[in-house]
């Protein structure tokens, strides 16, 4: 019986450890996702280069009028 108890305790301990590791992995993955989304929002050129066009309205203006205006400054 003591061997069976030891076996059951080891299974419960391993299961708890695996669940904690999975929870830590999920939290880290979420943190990485949030950091990536922040970078895309802050740098619309990076977003566009990465294939994400949600921030195209924030891209710098490069019309001929913008170039001429910049040259006058």
């Amino acid at each position: 019986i003591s061997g069976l108890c030891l076996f059951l305790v080891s299974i419960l301990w391993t299961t708890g450890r695996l669940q904690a590791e999975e929870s830590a992995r999920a939290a880290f993955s979420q943190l990485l996702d949030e950091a990536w989304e922040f970078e895309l929002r802050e740098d619309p050129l990076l977003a566009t280069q990465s294939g994400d066009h949600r921030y195209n309205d924030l891209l710098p203006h490069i019309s001929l009028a913008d170039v001429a205006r910049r040259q006058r400054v």
Side-chain angles (χ1 to χ4, degrees), residues 3-56:
L4 179 60
C5 287
L6 182 60
F7 176 71
L8 292 174
V9 166
S10 70
I11 287 176
L12 292 174
W13 181 78
T14 301
T15 301
R17 194 179 98 223
L18 291 175
Q19 288 172 343
E21 288 175 4
E22 182 57 35
S23 177
R25 267 191 218 98
F28 184 64
S29 179
Q30 172 141 3
L31 180 64
L32 291 177
D33 288 343
E34 290 171 7
W36 179 246
E37 287 299 320
F38 174 81
E39 291 297 326
L40 295 178
R41 278 191 311 273
E42 292 297 311
D43 188 350
L45 287 171
L46 172 65
T48 300
Q49 289 171 342
S50 300
D52 187 338
H53 301 283
R54 292 178 292 167
Y55 306 104
N56 282 359

Side-chain angles (χ1 to χ4, degrees), residues 59-73:
L59 291 170
H61 299 284
I62 54 169
S63 69
L64 290 176
D66 291 320
V67 172
R69 181 184 47 80
R70 289 183 183 114
Q71 289 175 346
R72 286 190 302 261
V73 174

